[in-house]
Amino acid sequence: MEANVAEAAEAERTQVKVDLGARSYDIKIGRGLLDAAGSEIAAVLPGARLAVIVDETVAKLHQPAFSESLKAAGLEHTVLTVPSGESSKCFREFERLCDEVLAARLERGDGIVALGGGVVGDLTGFVASAVRRGMTFIQVPTTLLAQVDSSVGGKTGINARHGKNLIGAFHQPALVLADTAILDTLPIRDFRAGYAEVAKYGLLGDEPFFCWLEANWKAVFAGGPERDEAVARSCQAKADVVAADELEAGRRALLNLGHTFGHALEAAVSYETERVVHGEGVSIGMMLAHEFSQRLQLIGEATVARVEKHLTDVGLPVTLKDVPGQLPPAETFMDIIAQDKKVSRGALTFILTRGVGEAFVEKGVDPALVSDFLKEKLET
């Protein structure tokens, strides 16, 4: 009976390939993957020893079951815990983890596993990129945001006082295991925040997917096949972009729709997650990107209203005024935006849009226009 249940669960899983030639890897999606993680990882790294990096919250919820799965597959492992929250994406934790991986005497052919959300994935990937000049990296994302976005594509890193994700490396995982059943334990605020990244894929290049989300978002939140489909379609969208532009020389920048404004907002509140978490910043940032596109006469009011309706329907914030507490002036935002990774020779680059599913990269945006726009949004 147990074998039949396991076979049925496996049959319901979806697999998305990130095609990078010799460095290609699979994203496996479905309910119950955490219990099968040991065998899945052993197939990629037979006989390897592992360091599992996990935050304190996820450690209590999922690490025991994950460790049991690794033991059942004969994989020795060391568990390294970090504090929960954005503050862990820092030099202090990076240095400590590098030292502990070395102290565990893991070799270059061993592996480092990220078990957690985007913070753990970004931090762990950066550690894996650096220790012994690069170790095998495996992602086991436990939040919706990590499953559909940060676990895929090889962007790793930590934050700096000058802004978010400014220090890091491209280091692709060898495997991503997205157990959608884990999302049942996710607080609703975190699920909503992750959904912002799901909506992003429709808004940047796939209007039919955005239409599907408008019709099915309640089922996505409830779980079941619609949730798995939303995760799979999001991962496929990102996999296609990453395969075409792994190092963000061009098209991959589209994945930053809403992120220039959103990252600036996160930095402006000093990454205080009680005020704004990443997905909420992305939601507000996407609205600002659409409103700025309207200001430039690229889209009309109806498009802006459609985007706003969907984001507010799911409970996401859409304006700077939705962020609790005092925000700094526009000049502070502009200083942060000037450090954005897409800035080229001092010229600002934004992801703008000509309609739902029609995002594009605009280089050389006039800073004065952005500053005036932000001043207005901060005052209204």
Side-chain angles (χ1 to χ4, degrees):
M1 178 66 72
E2 289 182 1
N4 291 337
V5 171
E7 289 172 4
E10 187 171 353
E12 293 175 359
R13 291 174 191 152
T14 302
Q15 187 164 302
V16 173
K17 182 178 182 179
V18 182
D19 190 357
L20 294 170
R23 292 176 297 105
S24 297
Y25 57 93
D26 292 325
I27 308 163
K28 299 192 175 184
I29 302 156
R31 299 182 71 86
L33 266 168
L34 194 70
D35 293 333
S39 59
E40 295 284 356
I41 294 171
V44 174
L45 280 173
R49 296 173 62 239
L50 306 172
V52 178
I53 299 178
V54 59
D55 72 48
E56 293 166 347
T57 301
V58 175
K60 294 174 184 175
L61 291 170
H62 304 300
Q63 183 261 313
F66 184 69
S67 287
E68 283 301 314
S69 178
L70 295 181
K71 289 176 185 176
L75 294 172
E76 294 182 31
H77 64 284
T78 299
V79 177
L80 305 176
T81 306
V82 299
S84 301
E86 192 76 24
S87 62
S88 287
K89 283 178 60 172
C90 64
F91 277 114
R92 181 187 65 257
E93 289 299 318
F94 172 72
E95 180 182 15
R96 179 180 69 84
L97 290 169
C98 287
D99 186 69
E100 291 193 12
V101 170
L102 292 169
R105 297 188 179 277
L106 267 68
E107 300 172 358
R108 194 173 190 182
D110 291 326
I112 303 180
V113 181
L115 176 64
V119 168
V120 167
D122 287 357
L123 175 61
T124 302
F126 191 30
V127 171
S129 76
V131 174
R132 302 196 187 281
R133 294 190 173 91
M135 294 178 62
T136 301
F137 170 42
I138 290 171
Q139 287 265 26
V140 185
T142 60
T143 66
L144 179 59
L145 188 148
Q147 290 188 3
V148 302
D149 186 64
S150 60
S151 68
V152 181
K155 278 189 177 182
T156 74
I158 58 176
N159 301 329
R161 66 183 181 87
H162 297 287
K164 189 177 175 75
N165 297 333
L166 293 180
I167 300 163
F170 285 96
H171 189 61
Q172 298 291 346
L175 175 69
V176 179
L177 300 174
D179 185 341
T180 52
I182 286 178
L183 304 181
D184 294 341
T185 67
L186 206 61
I188 186 61
R189 183 189 181 196
D190 292 335
F191 193 93
R192 286 193 185 109
Y195 184 87
E197 295 282 5
V198 177
K200 178 192 74 177
Y201 291 110
L203 290 171
L204 72 86
D206 190 349
E207 184 178 15
F209 182 41
F210 190 74
C211 291
W212 183 89
L213 290 172
E214 288 175 310
N216 292 282
W217 70 266
K218 290 181 180 178
V220 173
F221 275 66
E226 289 86 0
R227 177 184 293 175
D228 287 12
E229 182 173 351
V231 172
R233 289 178 72 167
S234 298
C235 287
Q236 186 65 65
K238 184 159 189 180
D240 291 344
V241 173
V242 169
D245 180 21
E246 181 183 2
L247 302 182
E248 201 172 78
R251 180 184 171 194
R252 185 168 177 172
L254 289 172
L255 296 172
N256 288 305
L257 175 65
H259 285 58
T260 300
F261 288 121
H263 283 170
L265 174 58
E266 288 182 86
V269 300
S270 301
Y271 305 107
E272 294 176 4
T273 53
E274 65 272 15
R275 297 182 67 187
V276 63
V277 295
H278 176 65
E280 293 167 343
V282 169
S283 177
I284 294 169
M286 289 193 298
M287 276 308 308
L288 290 172
H290 281 79
E291 290 171 329
F292 190 56
S293 295
Q294 182 186 13
R295 175 70 57 87
L296 299 177
Q297 299 184 331
L298 295 168
I299 57 175
E301 184 178 346
T303 300
V304 175
R306 180 184 178 189
V307 175
E308 181 177 11
K309 181 181 186 305
H310 184 58
L311 295 178
T312 53
D313 279 350
V314 304
L316 281 162
V318 292
T319 73
L320 292 171
K321 292 299 182 183
D322 290 332
V323 179
Q326 183 84 21
L327 290 175
E331 290 77 14
T332 299
F333 279 84
M334 293 303 297
D335 286 343
I336 298 168
I337 288 171
Q339 289 277 9
D340 184 80
K341 298 184 297 297
K342 297 184 295 302
V343 170
S344 178
R345 299 188 184 278
L348 300 185
T349 298
F350 279 83
I351 311 305
L352 302 177
T353 183
R354 296 187 180 92
V356 172
E358 298 181 54
F360 66 97
V361 180
E362 179 70 4
K363 298 182 178 180
V365 176
D366 185 351
L369 290 176
V370 180
S371 180
D372 289 345
F373 172 75
L374 283 172
K375 286 177 182 176
E376 178 185 309
K377 293 301 173 183
L378 286 164
E379 292 170 359
T380 56

